[in-house]
mmCIF file of all heavy atoms in Angstrom:
data_model
loop_
_atom_site.group_PDB
_atom_site.id
_atom_site.type_symbol
_atom_site.label_atom_id
_atom_site.label_comp_id
_atom_site.label_asym_id
_atom_site.label_seq_id
_atom_site.Cartn_x
_atom_site.Cartn_y
_atom_site.Cartn_z
ATOM 1 N N GLY A 124 2.683 3.314 10.856
ATOM 2 C CA GLY A 124 4.054 3.816 10.819
ATOM 3 C C GLY A 124 4.517 4.481 9.506
ATOM 4 O O GLY A 124 5.717 4.626 9.302
ATOM 5 N N ILE A 125 3.594 4.912 8.717
ATOM 6 C CA ILE A 125 3.863 5.529 7.423
ATOM 7 C C ILE A 125 3.716 7.044 7.569
ATOM 8 O O ILE A 125 2.706 7.505 7.973
ATOM 9 C CB ILE A 125 2.955 4.959 6.257
ATOM 10 C CG1 ILE A 125 3.222 3.508 6.078
ATOM 11 C CG2 ILE A 125 3.233 5.785 4.963
ATOM 12 C CD1 ILE A 125 2.342 2.889 5.085
ATOM 13 N N GLN A 126 4.754 7.780 7.122
ATOM 14 C CA GLN A 126 4.700 9.212 7.078
ATOM 15 C C GLN A 126 3.742 9.626 5.957
ATOM 16 O O GLN A 126 3.671 8.981 4.867
ATOM 17 C CB GLN A 126 6.031 9.810 6.862
ATOM 18 C CG GLN A 126 6.171 11.286 7.049
ATOM 19 C CD GLN A 126 7.589 11.810 7.030
ATOM 20 O OE1 GLN A 126 8.515 11.017 7.222
ATOM 21 N NE2 GLN A 126 7.732 13.066 6.931
ATOM 22 N N VAL A 127 2.947 10.707 6.188
ATOM 23 C CA VAL A 127 2.015 11.194 5.223
ATOM 24 C C VAL A 127 2.173 12.646 4.913
ATOM 25 O O VAL A 127 2.338 13.478 5.824
ATOM 26 C CB VAL A 127 0.528 10.936 5.778
ATOM 27 C CG1 VAL A 127 -0.496 11.498 4.792
ATOM 28 C CG2 VAL A 127 0.302 9.462 6.041
ATOM 29 N N GLU A 128 2.096 12.922 3.650
ATOM 30 C CA GLU A 128 1.981 14.324 3.168
ATOM 31 C C GLU A 128 0.744 14.434 2.361
ATOM 32 O O GLU A 128 0.463 13.547 1.544
ATOM 33 C CB GLU A 128 3.231 14.701 2.291
ATOM 34 C CG GLU A 128 4.554 14.743 3.096
ATOM 35 C CD GLU A 128 4.597 15.919 4.025
ATOM 36 O OE1 GLU A 128 4.072 17.026 3.786
ATOM 37 O OE2 GLU A 128 5.208 15.686 5.107
ATOM 38 N N MET A 129 -0.049 15.500 2.589
ATOM 39 C CA MET A 129 -1.240 15.679 1.786
ATOM 40 C C MET A 129 -1.307 17.080 1.211
ATOM 41 O O MET A 129 -0.728 18.002 1.806
ATOM 42 C CB MET A 129 -2.476 15.488 2.662
ATOM 43 C CG MET A 129 -2.735 14.023 3.083
ATOM 44 S SD MET A 129 -4.334 13.818 3.988
ATOM 45 C CE MET A 129 -4.108 14.657 5.507
ATOM 46 N N ASP A 130 -2.026 17.208 0.083
ATOM 47 C CA ASP A 130 -2.280 18.493 -0.469
ATOM 48 C C ASP A 130 -0.933 19.266 -0.698
ATOM 49 O O ASP A 130 -0.823 20.452 -0.374
ATOM 50 C CB ASP A 130 -3.210 19.323 0.310
ATOM 51 C CG ASP A 130 -3.760 20.550 -0.423
ATOM 52 O OD1 ASP A 130 -3.659 20.561 -1.707
ATOM 53 O OD2 ASP A 130 -4.268 21.480 0.214
ATOM 54 N N SER A 131 0.035 18.510 -1.285
ATOM 55 C CA SER A 131 1.401 19.061 -1.363
ATOM 56 C C SER A 131 2.071 18.417 -2.603
ATOM 57 O O SER A 131 1.910 17.241 -2.813
ATOM 58 C CB SER A 131 2.157 18.709 -0.111
ATOM 59 O OG SER A 131 3.497 19.121 -0.193
ATOM 60 N N CYS A 132 2.783 19.166 -3.381
ATOM 61 C CA CYS A 132 3.492 18.664 -4.501
ATOM 62 C C CYS A 132 4.951 18.306 -4.214
ATOM 63 O O CYS A 132 5.645 19.160 -3.765
ATOM 64 C CB CYS A 132 3.470 19.702 -5.675
ATOM 65 S SG CYS A 132 4.339 19.152 -7.164
ATOM 66 N N ILE A 133 5.264 17.095 -4.453
ATOM 67 C CA ILE A 133 6.610 16.643 -4.125
ATOM 68 C C ILE A 133 7.692 17.367 -4.892
ATOM 69 O O ILE A 133 8.745 17.641 -4.432
ATOM 70 C CB ILE A 133 6.688 15.101 -4.363
ATOM 71 C CG1 ILE A 133 7.941 14.468 -3.637
ATOM 72 C CG2 ILE A 133 6.721 14.717 -5.819
ATOM 73 C CD1 ILE A 133 7.870 13.015 -3.582
ATOM 74 N N LYS A 134 7.353 17.724 -6.150
ATOM 75 C CA LYS A 134 8.320 18.570 -7.009
ATOM 76 C C LYS A 134 8.519 19.942 -6.389
ATOM 77 O O LYS A 134 9.660 20.346 -6.217
ATOM 78 C CB LYS A 134 7.721 18.655 -8.439
ATOM 79 C CG LYS A 134 8.543 19.594 -9.348
ATOM 80 C CD LYS A 134 7.854 19.727 -10.636
ATOM 81 C CE LYS A 134 8.568 20.814 -11.463
ATOM 82 N NZ LYS A 134 7.866 20.992 -12.808
ATOM 83 N N ILE A 135 7.441 20.613 -6.011
ATOM 84 C CA ILE A 135 7.539 21.969 -5.440
ATOM 85 C C ILE A 135 8.347 21.845 -4.105
ATOM 86 O O ILE A 135 9.218 22.683 -3.880
ATOM 87 C CB ILE A 135 6.190 22.591 -5.269
ATOM 88 C CG1 ILE A 135 5.556 22.829 -6.592
ATOM 89 C CG2 ILE A 135 6.249 23.846 -4.381
ATOM 90 C CD1 ILE A 135 4.031 23.219 -6.574
ATOM 91 N N GLU A 136 7.942 20.935 -3.267
ATOM 92 C CA GLU A 136 8.664 20.830 -2.004
ATOM 93 C C GLU A 136 10.104 20.478 -2.117
ATOM 94 O O GLU A 136 10.963 21.020 -1.409
ATOM 95 C CB GLU A 136 7.929 19.738 -1.142
ATOM 96 C CG GLU A 136 6.498 20.025 -0.759
ATOM 97 C CD GLU A 136 6.383 21.282 0.072
ATOM 98 O OE1 GLU A 136 7.157 21.494 1.044
ATOM 99 O OE2 GLU A 136 5.507 22.105 -0.260
ATOM 100 N N HIS A 137 10.420 19.649 -3.128
ATOM 101 C CA HIS A 137 11.838 19.350 -3.411
ATOM 102 C C HIS A 137 12.582 20.581 -3.882
ATOM 103 O O HIS A 137 13.692 20.869 -3.383
ATOM 104 C CB HIS A 137 11.944 18.235 -4.418
ATOM 105 C CG HIS A 137 13.359 17.802 -4.692
ATOM 106 N ND1 HIS A 137 14.098 18.394 -5.620
ATOM 107 C CD2 HIS A 137 14.124 16.795 -4.101
ATOM 108 C CE1 HIS A 137 15.319 17.847 -5.663
ATOM 109 N NE2 HIS A 137 15.330 16.855 -4.692
ATOM 110 N N ALA A 138 11.956 21.308 -4.811
ATOM 111 C CA ALA A 138 12.616 22.553 -5.349
ATOM 112 C C ALA A 138 12.832 23.598 -4.270
ATOM 113 O O ALA A 138 13.843 24.305 -4.304
ATOM 114 C CB ALA A 138 11.774 23.090 -6.485
ATOM 115 N N LEU A 139 11.869 23.617 -3.316
ATOM 116 C CA LEU A 139 12.028 24.615 -2.221
ATOM 117 C C LEU A 139 13.001 24.149 -1.139
ATOM 118 O O LEU A 139 13.324 24.857 -0.215
ATOM 119 C CB LEU A 139 10.645 24.927 -1.581
ATOM 120 C CG LEU A 139 9.689 25.633 -2.453
ATOM 121 C CD1 LEU A 139 8.327 25.723 -1.793
ATOM 122 C CD2 LEU A 139 10.197 27.066 -2.745
#
Side-chain angles (χ1 to χ4, degrees):
I125 297 176
Q126 189 168 346
V127 176
E128 292 293 323
M129 291 190 289
D130 193 20
S131 176
C132 178
I133 199 168
K134 174 184 172 184
I135 292 169
E136 296 299 312
H137 184 273
L139 292 172

